[in-house]
Amino acid sequence: MSDQEFDALPVSEQESIRAKQNQFADEIKAALQATHKLERDATKDLANLEKEVAEYTINNKMTEMEERYCTVTSVIEFLRAVKNDILENLPEFLLSHKAGVEQPVYKGNDFLKDTT
């Protein structure tokens, strides 16, 4: 509808159309706000899930190594420091992994490039 056609309508009909436009704009604004909240919540939930998975994975590996080196206090302290560092800097580890940066993997007595 052109401006001229709109202006030709009775005032009551113009007001009705404007009210519907305002209501529609309010509904769009509310939907966008809800979408942004869902995105924030999903991002937060994903970060929590990534941390839980990392803790589970790290704990399994660390438990094996702590059992192996249980008599060497300095190794146990080092392993715990590594674990804490990984968890505190998890986003950086995940970003490098997602970007395809090769990470060294400890296998046996050798450090090898991850081939997975």
Side-chain angles (χ1 to χ4, degrees), residues 22-85:
N22 290 337
Q23 180 183 0
F24 185 63
D26 290 342
E27 290 173 8
I28 290 174
K29 182 179 177 182
L32 288 173
Q33 288 173 341
T35 300
H36 291 303
K37 183 182 182 325
L38 287 172
E39 287 175 356
R40 285 190 306 273
D41 291 348
T43 300
K44 184 178 178 182
D45 290 346
L46 180 59
N48 288 336
L49 180 60
E50 287 173 338
K51 185 172 182 178
E52 286 178 30
V53 169
E55 285 177 339
Y56 177 79
T57 303
I58 292 168
N59 284 336
N60 283 340
K61 291 296 180 184
M62 290 295 177
T63 299
E64 292 174 21
M65 292 176 27
E66 286 174 353
E67 288 171 359
R68 180 183 290 170
Y69 299 104
C70 64
T71 59
V72 185
T73 307
S74 60
V75 172
I76 299 299
E77 290 171 0
F78 175 76
L79 291 173
R80 290 182 181 156
V82 168
K83 174 187 171 184
N84 290 336
D85 185 62

